[in-house]
Amino acid sequence: MVNVLFTFFAYPTLHSTRRRRVQQADSQQFADSQEAPPLGAGEAVDILLSVLSDGLDHPEIWAVLPQFLDGVDGLVAELQSRLAIERAKPVRTSLLVLLGICGAHLGETELMLDRLQPLAVEYSQSPLVQGAIFYLQGRLDPDNPKFQLQGRICATPFQQLDVLERSTHQCCASWLQTSAGDLSRNEWQDVWNSPTAQAIRASMFDGSYRYCNKIACPRIQASHWTPETDLAQAPEWADVVAEGRTAVPQGPEIVNLAYDRTCNLSCPSCRTERFAATDAERAIFDRMQERAILPMLKNAKRVMVTGSGDPFASKNFRRLLEQLTPEEYPDLRFQVMTNGMLFTPAQWANFPTLHGRTAVLKISVDAATGQTHELLRRGAKWPVVLENMKFAGELTKAGLIDKFDLVFVVQAENFREMGAAVDLGHEVGATCVYFARITNWGTFTDRQYADKAVFLPTHPDHADFLAAMQDPRLRDPLAFLGDLLPFVDVDSEVMEAA
């Protein structure tokens, strides 16, 4: 028990008073007895809740809970007692997670996983909740390499910065919610190597990945890694890996500009109504672009426009695209993300800076039929989008665009069209059809999200979804399944149980 106590007392998020009390204890007494003072169940729960109060994943705690169960009398009863009277939702969530992990260590992993599923809906972007579920899944499938994160370093937080209106993220914000800082108020260098940014990178080195949404991250779900030993052989990574370096002297290689939500559509998956930035908001964006974005892009290799709206509907992004000339930014290439409605030959002609410099064009379709597309891409016209997708295919064939992706966000209304979307990709000349689970960006209530999240075991159509995932067209090289990969080749008994 003493080793467990020292693990938690040394943990930096512990309450400082508790740490000081332990640090000031008579070390000679501990050395003589080889045993820590008895820890009561109430104090143990206080310690655990203190650590979990940051809302992050804590696999180091999940691993040592068996020692708590052995060394602290009445731990589970104390957790249950607290849950019965606790009203604060964050604390209740932590208590439920702790009870789930304790139950798993007591031999009920599958049951505990089922009991935590309602939390997966309510806290679909929570590193704590999704991390606990990831841990329980790993206990049921211990030989699956995707659950072995030690010794694997994700390069993304060392290379990428996503810029939102009031936050920045070192990966997609739905996979890594914690902000590294506000670029509208700070210099990019201070944000890029902020204490939070470096803590996120440190979580790659210690294998905890505590800031990440492990269930949503396609890299984790697909176990798509370069081993740390191999990474260390690359000249640009050798010192980083050897020294565990978390400060990155050069700027981000990839910058995702997602601060202007202006869009010509109002897709239910990301907004409740059509949005256009006001004059005041555009002025803020202009200042940020001149002060921080344009200088930062001097160091970048790729700029993504946009993860927040449509670049061709945004006055700010249209102006920015015009400014990023090959003369001023010779090494910069573009990743353009659009709903396709405005991607016409005339618009393409208006932006010569994109010609021959577009590494990736992504068009969001979420369907393979007009009826479903116009339902999920509110305001879109399928014949227009279809024509523009074919135009994109022609540009790709001509070498003016390197890679052309169709993006398909999987949900209850469209999962039966996944296979047909691969056929559509071939028809329009796409080089990839990218599938991903729908995310709750705050536009849905918990009930609405539960109705859409067909990939959750609790959904009434989950068995049909599992069957749809076995469509052989989803094994086509054109299809990228990302966070849906775990549902491929599901055992028939599992499908029947669903």
Side-chain angles (χ1 to χ4, degrees):
M1 189 64 194
V2 63
N3 291 335
V4 178
L5 290 174
F6 282 139
T7 297
F8 283 97
F9 295 158
Y11 199 81
T13 58
L14 282 179
H15 193 280
S16 59
T17 302
R18 178 61 177 161
R19 286 203 306 274
R20 284 195 298 270
R21 185 164 75 82
V22 174
Q23 291 163 356
Q24 293 166 1
D26 186 348
S27 59
Q28 185 59 49
Q29 178 185 347
F30 279 14
D32 292 343
S33 66
Q34 297 295 307
E35 188 174 306
L39 186 69
E43 191 174 15
V45 172
D46 286 342
I47 291 172
L48 293 168
L49 290 177
S50 175
V51 178
L52 268 57
S53 65
D54 60 10
L56 304 177
D57 187 18
H58 287 279
E60 74 283 354
I61 292 181
W62 315 149
V64 300
L65 270 180
Q67 296 175 60
F68 264 73
L69 289 167
D70 290 341
V72 179
D73 292 335
L75 179 63
V76 172
E78 177 67 18
L79 290 168
Q80 292 171 330
S81 175
R82 296 279 189 99
L83 183 63
I85 62 173
E86 184 60 59
R87 293 294 175 262
K89 285 186 70 173
V91 181
R92 286 185 59 83
T93 301
S94 293
L95 289 167
L96 287 167
V97 166
L98 287 167
L99 281 167
I101 302 294
C102 286
H105 284 303
L106 292 171
E108 297 289 349
T109 301
E110 196 162 355
L111 176 62
M112 294 300 104
L113 188 56
D114 288 342
R115 289 186 176 177
L116 286 183
Q117 285 302 332
L119 288 180
V121 175
E122 187 173 0
Y123 298 97
S124 61
Q125 295 190 47
S126 164
L128 171 63
V129 172
Q130 300 301 323
I133 290 173
F134 181 82
Y135 177 78
L136 295 182
Q137 290 177 344
R139 285 179 59 84
L140 294 174
D141 192 9
D143 295 328
N144 191 327
K146 82 175 182 182
F147 297 109
Q148 314 304 321
L149 300 183
Q150 291 286 342
R152 296 176 174 180
I153 297 176
C154 177
T156 302
F158 297 82
Q159 298 173 331
Q160 181 171 325
L161 192 68
D162 288 22
V163 184
L164 278 62
E165 188 173 354
R166 295 295 181 190
S167 65
T168 58
H169 305 262
Q170 293 153 278
C171 187
C172 174
S174 65
W175 307 332
L176 202 165
Q177 267 199 318
T178 301
S179 172
D182 184 352
L183 200 62
S184 70
R185 300 171 182 266
N186 299 283
E187 298 302 319
W188 71 263
Q189 296 92 336
D190 297 332
V191 169
W192 178 236
N193 280 315
S194 68
T196 300
Q198 294 194 55
I200 289 169
R201 294 177 190 129
S203 75
M204 312 288 130
F205 288 117
D206 67 25
S208 69
Y209 285 73
R210 68 180 77 260
Y211 293 88
C212 302
N213 184 334
K214 295 181 172 75
I215 298 298
C217 173
R219 184 182 297 274
I220 291 176
Q221 289 297 319
S223 194
H224 182 61
W225 304 98
T226 300
E228 181 177 338
T229 51
D230 293 350
L231 203 60
Q233 303 304 312
E236 67 274 20
W237 279 93
D239 291 342
V240 174
V241 174
E243 301 172 13
R245 189 180 297 171
T246 58
V248 181
Q250 69 276 15
E253 295 182 15
I254 302 170
V255 178
N256 178 14
L257 304 180
Y259 46 84
D260 187 352
R261 297 178 59 243
T262 299
C263 192
N264 53 314
L265 304 184
S266 60
C267 306
S269 58
C270 69
R271 63 194 69 204
T272 56
E273 59 187 2
R274 190 172 295 180
F275 177 87
T278 65
D279 290 343
E281 288 169 329
R282 288 200 299 271
I284 292 172
F285 300 155
D286 273 337
R287 288 194 295 271
M288 181 169 67
Q289 285 176 186
E290 293 296 328
R291 177 185 56 80
I293 301 296
L294 288 171
M296 181 169 60
L297 290 179
K298 290 286 187 179
N299 302 287
K301 302 298 183 186
R302 179 176 298 189
V303 59
M304 301 156 67
V305 189
T306 171
S308 56
D310 194 278
F312 302 108
S314 164
K315 292 181 180 179
N316 289 87
F317 286 143
R318 290 172 68 93
R319 179 168 176 267
L320 186 70
L321 291 176
E322 293 170 350
Q323 291 177 288
L324 298 175
T325 64
E327 291 77 20
E328 291 292 324
Y329 297 85
D331 298 325
L332 188 66
R333 295 179 65 75
F334 294 91
Q335 179 169 311
V336 178
M337 295 171 278
T338 173
N339 56 53
M341 279 290 292
L342 301 177
F343 192 77
T344 64
Q347 287 285 7
W348 176 256
N350 286 336
F351 295 98
T353 55
L354 297 176
H355 300 182
R357 300 172 71 209
T358 301
V360 184
L361 170 70
K362 291 177 176 282
I363 296 181
S364 298
V365 290
D366 296 349
T369 64
Q371 182 177 2
T372 303
H373 178 81
E374 293 180 7
L375 172 69
L376 298 178
R377 312 295 299 176
R378 192 165 49 208
K381 301 297 181 185
W382 180 246
V384 174
V385 174
L386 187 60
E387 188 66 25
N388 292 344
M389 285 191 289
K390 292 177 180 177
F391 173 61
E394 293 170 3
L395 293 176
T396 305
K397 187 177 181 180
L400 294 172
I401 292 172
D402 295 347
K403 191 171 182 288
F404 166 34
D405 296 356
L406 301 185
V407 179
F408 190 110
V409 177
V410 176
Q411 51 202 289
E413 295 87 347
N414 67 5
F415 73 91
R416 293 179 174 87
E417 297 182 17
M418 290 187 293
V422 178
D423 293 338
L424 175 65
H426 284 292
E427 177 187 341
V428 300
T431 56
C432 175
V433 182
Y434 183 102
F435 294 94
R437 309 182 200 191
I438 191 169
T439 296
N440 188 359
W441 293 104
T443 54
F444 304 124
T445 65
D446 294 341
R447 181 67 263 166
Q448 289 171 331
Y449 181 68
D451 289 342
K452 284 185 167 290
V454 69
F455 40 82
L456 293 177
T458 51
H459 196 283
D461 291 334
H462 187 64
D464 291 341
F465 164 73
L466 293 178
M469 286 300 305
Q470 312 319 308
D471 189 321
R473 289 174 291 184
L474 297 182
R475 277 59 161 190
D476 189 300
L478 204 68
F480 179 85
L481 298 180
D483 61 5
L484 293 167
L485 197 61
F487 302 107
V488 176
D489 294 327
V490 174
D491 189 275
S492 59
E493 293 182 5
V494 175
M495 293 173 60
E496 291 173 5

